[in-house]
Amino acid sequence: MMNNRTSFVLLAILTIASTLVMSSAYAQSMMGESVRDNGKMAANQMLPTDIPVSISTDKTTYDHSDTITVYGRVANVSGFPVTLTVVSPNYSVVTVAQLDVAKDGSFGTTLNIGGEKWKQNGTYTIKVNYGTVTKSNKVLVELTGEVSTSSSNCGASEIDVEGNCVPYSISGGKVIGVSVNQKSNSLIVRISADENGVFTLIPDKKVLDGIFMVLVDGQEWNDVDISSGQVTVMFPAGTERIEIIGTR
């Protein structure tokens, strides 16, 4: 038969064990709740903001030979198309289009910016609207660099510079393209040169005036003769770009 002291010790041990078991179970329960709460919080943090309609582009700055990729999403699909409008730096409308919306709310398109209406450098506004004024958004993109010229009915010994037919001659290669850099007041002539050659251009003053410098493949060039509004450039084989810079 156990004495009172032994009974007291056993009772204390049982009480401590029971307390430990309950504490462990409580801790596991609280940990489980914490994990679930943190999981909900993490999930909520991963959810996108509930914007009625969003819009993005693949870049923020483009040149005139690029293509703009536009994409976005609507929060609640209603079966209507998204209306896209592009406005130029001088606030004229460049293009308007309607874009179909997928079942998941996404939409997208590409914009070719080589046309006449994209000729101006500066900030263009691309706006989207989804049914109501409140469901709208916009993104700004910057257009910089050279302005590509369009083809025309110029003769075989002329190049088209913004609608002006400019006489030229070339040996040792051929002209494959012409563009205008408004920032530097220059003409950029792209050529394919299989051998050393000579390029001559006779631009009218309304096309390029005050010729004072020539760059060949980005380097200031000395093998140049400028006289009476005519510029002659001696270029080496492999040359790809001749830039003729004027005052205006």
Side-chain angles (χ1 to χ4, degrees):
M1 182 175 182
M2 298 181 183
N3 56 33
N4 291 336
R5 182 186 180 98
T6 303
S7 299
F8 178 78
V9 171
L10 288 174
L11 180 60
I13 292 172
L14 291 173
T15 301
I16 293 171
S18 176
T19 301
L20 290 174
V21 170
M22 292 177 62
S23 298
S24 176
Y26 178 75
Q28 291 177 2
S29 175
M30 292 302 292
M31 184 178 296
E33 292 295 330
S34 177
V35 169
R36 283 193 292 272
D37 290 343
N38 289 338
K40 290 179 181 179
M41 185 180 297
N44 290 334
Q45 289 173 348
M46 292 172 64
L47 291 175
T49 305
D50 191 17
I51 302 173
V53 57
S54 64
I55 179 173
S56 300
T57 54
D58 56 331
K59 296 192 295 184
T60 57
T61 303
Y62 300 85
D63 63 39
H64 294 270
S65 62
D66 282 338
T67 298
I68 301 176
T69 300
V70 180
Y71 53 94
R73 184 177 297 274
V74 300
N76 299 297
V77 180
S78 59
F80 294 102
V82 167
T83 301
L84 179 143
T85 306
V86 181
V87 179
S88 72
N90 62 1
Y91 305 106
S92 63
V93 176
V94 175
T95 187
V96 178
Q98 288 194 326
L99 311 179
D100 292 332
V101 179
K103 292 181 180 180
D104 64 354
S106 62
F107 61 88
T109 189
T110 57
L111 301 173
N112 187 343
I113 57 180
E116 184 70 19
K117 292 185 177 181
W118 295 88
K119 190 174 182 178
Q120 184 179 4
N121 284 338
T123 302
Y124 286 73
T125 304
I126 304 175
K127 302 187 294 186
V128 288
N129 182 276
Y130 193 55
T132 66
V133 177
T134 57
K135 295 180 180 179
S136 63
N137 213 329
K138 65 181 180 180
V139 65
L140 305 179
V141 298
E142 193 75 14
L143 194 56
T144 64
E146 304 165 8
V147 181
S148 298
T149 59
S150 58
S151 60
S152 70
N153 295 320
C154 293
S157 59
E158 296 175 321
I159 55 176
D160 181 358
V161 181
E162 297 187 328
N164 298 283
C165 295
V166 179
Y168 84 98
S169 65
I170 188 171
S171 64
K174 62 180 180 179
V175 174
I176 60 175
V178 183
S179 59
V180 176
N181 189 324
Q182 295 176 340
K183 286 187 175 181
S184 62
N185 297 318
S186 64
L187 293 180
I188 294 92
V189 182
R190 294 182 175 84
I191 68 172
S192 174
D194 296 329
E195 56 188 55
N196 298 344
V198 178
F199 173 76
T200 300
L201 188 71
I202 312 173
D204 188 274
K205 287 187 176 181
K206 66 182 180 182
V207 174
L208 188 67
D209 193 14
I211 300 171
F212 68 92
M213 183 183 294
V214 173
L215 305 179
V216 172
D217 287 341
Q219 302 294 321
E220 186 174 349
W221 205 247
N222 294 321
D223 290 336
V224 175
D225 179 47
I226 301 172
S227 62
S228 302
Q230 174 177 302
V231 57
T232 301
V233 183
M234 282 64 75
F235 59 83
T239 296
E240 296 180 347
R241 173 185 170 122
I242 298 173
E243 182 170 3
I244 305 168
I245 303 173
T247 56
R248 64 184 178 91

